[in-house]
Amino acid sequence: QLDSSLTGFFVLYADGSAGICNSKGKIVIPSHYEAYKYLGEGMVGCRNGNFWALADTTGRMITAPVFEGLKPFSEHYAAAEQNALWGFIRKNGKFIIQPQYRVVGKFVDHLAYAYVSLNSYVLDTLGHIKFTFDKGAMSYMGYSEGKFLIGKLNSRREIEKQFFMTR
């Protein structure tokens, strides 16, 4: 079965597990995992049960299945979840920003959105807070085209007002 997110690769299913082969039929990752997702930048997430491992498209396993969630790579970093908190990893699977946020966005122009306990931030690639939003304001669409779409939450945690904020 061709997986459109893994351009040039096929996912092979057998007996409840899956592997990946390239377009020449060479098995890149043997059938040890239940599911795969392409994370961009030559990286693949491999899921067993509730946990994801990180591999590259040559089949080299970078980590064991230690992440509860993995988001696509952007600017050489991917959001990764451990203990229900999100941080950011490099392609070596090591955290550059430790898991401490409830919600994170991807890096765009070296900035990413992060949210925890009614506090929202804009982080740089080292995890430094570059901007703090007003309490109760959150960027629910992330950063795109030079702007954040911001929603101001009311006491019922519903979006009451919306506005854009530029970089």
Side-chain angles (χ1 to χ4, degrees):
Q1 173 180 340
L2 178 64
D3 183 334
S4 60
S5 69
L6 279 165
T7 305
F9 295 88
F10 294 86
V11 178
L12 307 170
Y13 294 96
D15 300 324
S17 64
I20 296 177
C21 74
N22 63 21
S23 59
K24 295 178 180 173
K26 179 180 184 242
I27 293 181
V28 178
I29 299 175
S31 298
H32 295 302
Y33 295 93
E34 296 170 10
Y36 295 91
K37 66 178 171 181
Y38 184 60
L39 301 172
E41 299 185 15
M43 304 304 287
V44 178
C46 311
R47 183 177 57 82
N48 258 351
N50 294 326
F51 293 93
W52 291 89
L54 185 64
D56 64 22
T57 53
T58 68
R60 183 172 63 100
M61 296 306 299
I62 310 296
T63 71
V66 295
F67 304 110
E68 294 161 20
L70 283 173
K71 294 184 180 183
F73 275 85
S74 175
E75 298 186 5
H76 311 297
Y77 302 98
E81 181 184 23
Q82 283 187 335
N83 300 316
L85 294 172
W86 290 89
F88 290 91
I89 60 172
R90 291 184 171 141
K91 289 182 181 181
N92 64 6
K94 306 262 190 247
F95 279 98
I96 182 71
I97 300 172
Q98 292 299 314
Q100 57 192 300
Y101 300 103
R102 290 282 175 210
V103 177
V104 293
K106 66 181 182 176
F107 278 99
V108 178
D109 292 339
H110 312 296
L111 298 175
Y113 171 77
Y115 171 85
V116 65
S117 302
L118 294 179
N119 294 306
S120 297
Y121 310 99
V122 174
L123 308 174
D124 67 13
T125 54
L126 297 176
H128 299 128
I129 295 172
K130 302 307 275 181
F131 184 81
T132 302
F133 293 99
D134 290 339
K135 199 159 198 85
M138 63 182 289
S139 175
Y140 57 94
M141 295 296 286
Y143 183 72
S144 178
E145 298 178 14
K147 299 183 242 347
F148 286 97
L149 177 58
I150 309 296
K152 184 73 171 168
L153 304 178
N154 62 23
S155 61
R156 295 181 306 277
R157 302 213 13 94
E158 302 165 329
I159 297 171
E160 190 171 87
K161 296 179 184 176
Q162 297 179 21
F163 54 94
F164 286 103
M165 182 181 88
T166 62
R167 183 179 171 116

